[in-house]
Amino acid sequence: MVDIASRVYNHKWKIDPIVRSLIDTDFYKLLMCQSVFRNKRDTNVTFSLINRSKDIRLAELVDEGELREQLDHIRSLSLSRGESTFLRGNTFYGKRQMFRPDFMEWFENVSMPAYHLEKRDGQYELTFEGKWPEVMLWEIPALAVLMELRSRAVLKDMGRFELQVLYARAMTRLWEKVEKLQGVDDLRLADFGTRRRHSFMWQDWCVQAMQEGLGQKFVGTSNCLIAMRREVEAIGTNAHELPMVYSALADSDDALRQAPYDVLADWHEEHEGNLRIILPDTYGTDGFLAGAPDWLAGWTGIRIDSGDPAEGAERAIGWWKSRGEDPTKKLVIFSDGLDVDKIVELQSQFRGRVRVSFGWGTLLTNDFRGLVPDNGLSPFSLVCKAVSANGRPTVKLSDNPRKAMGPAAEIARYKRVFGVGEQEDIDVVV
């Protein structure tokens, strides 16, 4: 077991790069990358960093030279032989050779595209432009780098014993959460915390703690590198990025209305079983479900990633019933703003009515709230999203208007096309 506090104190952050591998990323990112490589590889996309927590002035906390050093290191990475063997030969979701030979040959030779970095009003403007399959690989490592550099900035002047106490308190906090979850019947829980983790070493420690403390109730991690090293399942399906880009490419309102289903039609051709999970909230869940083709009702489940989670699950149950499906055989994955009490509550509410699973993110891998002065390690809401495709702006509406993204005129147009009415504001936890 790594002594995290001593490692933090001794190496002064020079020994360990923040991102150690191209597979130090979320599994769904690689699945989506393969789909994009197959269907839209020549699309030009721009990704941009967006800090929703404006009070965290990253450009004043994080040294630009250190940031560039970490980003340049990521550009130097390539798959190792062992990593390639893991992706080519391992069984994911019960399927061997999940990643096709042509995709793997491309991935083994990929070069991460250049980045553009500027400071503006106390924030970093970080953008990536290029072909979609290459540029999309920046999202997760870019977030991980900024989150960890912020942690390093807060911790840099702490002494050896101060760090030992800090990490002892954080470990105790996590273990107390694990103990609360040990008695929850039929629990299925995965780590979804890569993008906003405190650090790589801390995420790795959290996964090991979950393995030991929860046993079979812990079903895996979204992080491919940790999944390989700790011999647990790599977990993940797809994300908002796909419908956002497909929709931006639509040439008419009718094509726009159809775009989210075109995404899933392409996905349907490639995947089956537990990879057929609907993420319905990109442009409002109600409208998506109302217009969904019948074949989508036959998919395995739904992931709820915005809005009130209980209302989202009830909405899904009602939709399945209206389409002649048995909800007790369907999977609902909760993945937005979770902490232990909400997990226990949702499990109790929906156990037996659907198959329930949880993707536990930031408050698993980055809960240092109140452990340093001025709450300096409290998690914050940082995202890296596709903002344009072939020169057209992307839009995300979500079931929570506070998560909406895109130019105001385009947001209004998308709301009209997708029939999105009044929405309830919900605090964005992380």
Side-chain angles (χ1 to χ4, degrees):
M1 181 77 68
V2 172
D3 183 342
I4 298 177
S6 293
R7 187 88 155 257
V8 168
Y9 180 80
N10 289 329
H11 67 46
K12 299 304 181 188
W13 309 112
K14 295 298 184 184
I15 295 175
D16 295 313
I18 291 174
V19 176
R20 292 151 165 77
S21 162
L22 289 182
I23 68 167
D24 181 12
T25 192
D26 283 336
F27 184 58
Y28 78 74
K29 201 69 183 181
L30 299 185
L31 290 176
M32 291 195 304
C33 189
Q34 176 170 253
S35 181
V36 170
F37 176 79
R38 178 184 177 190
N39 297 296
K40 303 283 186 183
R41 73 178 71 178
D42 292 325
T43 304
N44 291 305
V45 173
T46 299
F47 273 74
S48 183
L49 187 80
I50 301 167
N51 183 4
R52 294 172 177 153
S53 304
K54 300 301 184 184
D55 58 316
I56 307 295
R57 298 176 67 81
L58 286 175
E60 297 173 3
L61 283 169
V62 172
D63 179 77
E64 182 177 345
E66 290 185 39
L67 175 55
R68 289 185 181 276
E69 183 180 35
Q70 295 292 341
L71 296 174
D72 290 341
H73 172 74
I74 293 169
R75 294 196 70 206
S76 74
L77 294 173
S78 60
L79 286 188
S80 70
R81 181 177 298 178
E83 292 163 351
S84 179
T85 299
F86 170 72
L87 293 177
R88 283 181 178 269
N90 197 42
T91 298
F92 301 102
Y93 284 82
K95 180 179 178 180
R96 272 202 177 278
Q97 294 185 321
M98 178 74 76
F99 296 101
R100 296 150 42 112
D102 59 340
F103 171 75
M104 284 304 307
E105 184 175 351
W106 171 84
F107 192 31
E108 288 161 352
N109 293 282
V110 74
S111 295
M112 296 286 277
Y115 60 87
H116 181 72
L117 180 66
E118 291 185 12
K119 288 182 178 180
R120 191 173 305 234
D121 191 26
Q123 301 293 346
Y124 281 114
E125 291 189 354
L126 179 60
T127 57
F128 312 94
E129 299 180 15
K131 297 300 182 185
W132 191 6
E134 299 166 3
V135 175
M136 68 187 296
L137 294 174
W138 265 116
E139 178 188 354
I140 308 300
L143 291 173
V145 163
L146 263 300
M147 296 301 294
E148 186 162 344
L149 283 178
R150 186 264 196 152
S151 298
R152 295 178 179 189
V154 173
L155 300 177
K156 65 181 180 180
D157 295 325
M158 295 180 71
R160 182 191 302 269
F161 286 94
E162 195 175 6
L163 286 167
Q164 290 284 2
V165 171
L166 170 68
Y167 282 104
R169 287 172 173 166
M171 289 174 178
T172 299
R173 173 175 290 176
L174 176 58
W175 193 253
E176 288 173 348
K177 294 182 182 184
V178 170
E179 289 178 325
K180 286 185 180 180
L181 295 172
Q182 286 173 339
V184 178
D185 292 335
D186 300 324
L187 181 66
R188 289 174 49 86
L189 189 149
D191 156 42
F192 275 18
T194 298
R195 63 181 55 223
R196 297 194 190 103
R197 67 195 182 194
H198 170 76
S199 71
F200 174 83
M201 287 189 292
W202 181 249
Q203 184 184 15
D204 188 41
W205 188 91
C206 291
V207 167
Q208 293 177 75
M210 301 278 277
Q211 284 181 278
E212 179 174 318
L214 294 180
Q216 295 302 309
K217 294 177 180 178
F218 179 64
V219 297
T221 175
S222 66
N223 188 289
C224 294
L225 182 61
I226 294 175
M228 181 182 75
R229 291 183 175 181
R230 300 302 170 193
E231 297 185 339
V232 298
E233 292 291 328
I235 302 292
T237 53
N238 56 73
H240 301 104
E241 173 185 343
L242 293 179
M244 288 173 67
V245 174
Y246 272 59
S247 297
L249 299 175
D251 290 324
S252 67
D253 285 357
D254 287 341
L256 172 59
R257 195 175 293 109
Q258 182 61 32
Y261 308 119
D262 292 340
V263 170
L264 300 183
D266 285 344
W267 194 266
H268 191 91
E269 291 183 10
E270 295 185 56
H271 302 297
E272 56 190 20
N274 281 352
L275 284 174
R276 288 185 177 174
I277 301 296
I278 302 167
L279 181 62
D281 69 322
T282 310
Y283 304 120
T285 295
D286 286 337
F288 178 92
L289 295 180
D294 286 338
W295 56 266
L296 264 180
W299 272 31
T300 302
I302 278 179
R303 180 160 73 91
I304 298 174
D305 196 54
S306 65
D308 182 276
E311 289 181 8
E314 295 290 0
R315 190 182 292 126
I317 289 170
W319 177 67
W320 281 317
K321 288 181 177 178
S322 74
R323 298 297 180 98
E325 298 286 336
D326 181 358
T328 64
K329 297 180 180 178
K330 297 297 186 178
L331 178 64
V332 172
I333 302 172
F334 296 101
S335 62
D336 181 39
L338 296 174
D339 205 3
V340 61
D341 290 339
K342 180 58 69 173
I343 291 170
V344 172
E345 175 188 328
L346 291 169
Q347 176 71 8
S348 174
Q349 186 172 351
F350 292 100
R351 178 186 174 220
R353 300 179 61 201
V354 292
R355 296 162 53 215
V356 182
S357 187
F358 299 92
W360 195 6
T362 307
L363 294 180
L364 168 64
T365 62
N366 199 359
D367 189 2
F368 286 71
R369 293 172 295 177
L371 297 184
V372 298
D374 300 320
N375 217 12
L377 287 178
S378 181
F380 63 104
S381 187
L382 187 70
V383 297
C384 185
K385 296 289 188 182
V387 296
S388 71
N390 286 351
R392 299 176 178 177
T394 63
V395 172
K396 179 187 173 189
L397 299 180
S398 171
D399 285 330
N400 181 359
R402 294 193 182 185
K403 288 188 172 184
M405 290 175 44
E410 285 298 293
I411 288 176
R413 174 186 171 227
Y414 275 60
K415 284 186 173 181
R416 173 180 57 78
V417 168
F418 290 104
V420 177
E422 291 296 318
Q423 294 177 302
E424 180 185 357
D425 271 15
I426 297 175
D427 288 340
V428 178
V429 180
V430 279

